[in-house]
Amino acid sequence: MTFNRLLNRAALVSKVTSRSVFTSSKPDTAKPNWVRVSLAFGTSAFLWGLLFKQHSTDVQEYKVRNGLE
């Protein structure tokens, strides 16, 4: 076999076995996936809650260490 035939055969095999990463249709914005939306907002609210709790703990520790309370 010539080199070109081997190269063509290898290219054909790689095209057949590979998958496309991209989808052919865009997601419908009129019908959102409410499970994913609630998970995103719930996670965000949880992380903000942790941030405020940690801030309050840090402020309280600062006041105790510096004798402000």
Side-chain angles (χ1 to χ4, degrees):
M1 272 195 224
T2 64
F3 181 70
N4 284 338
R5 287 183 91 174
L6 285 173
L7 189 60
N8 286 340
R9 193 170 281 181
L12 179 63
V13 169
S14 69
K15 285 181 183 177
V16 170
T17 58
S18 66
R19 284 190 331 186
S20 176
V21 178
F22 305 103
T23 58
S24 61
S25 63
K26 292 186 177 182
D28 186 13
T29 56
K31 291 173 48 180
N33 185 346
W34 289 111
V35 174
R36 292 182 74 183
V37 171
S38 62
L39 279 173
F41 281 120
T43 302
S44 180
F46 176 74
L47 289 174
W48 275 105
L50 282 178
L51 179 70
F52 284 127
K53 181 180 177 289
Q54 184 64 45
H55 176 71
S56 297
T57 305
D58 290 344
V59 168
Q60 185 64 29
E61 183 179 342
Y62 173 82
K63 287 180 179 179
V64 168
R65 283 188 181 199
N66 291 320
L68 299 174
E69 243 182 53

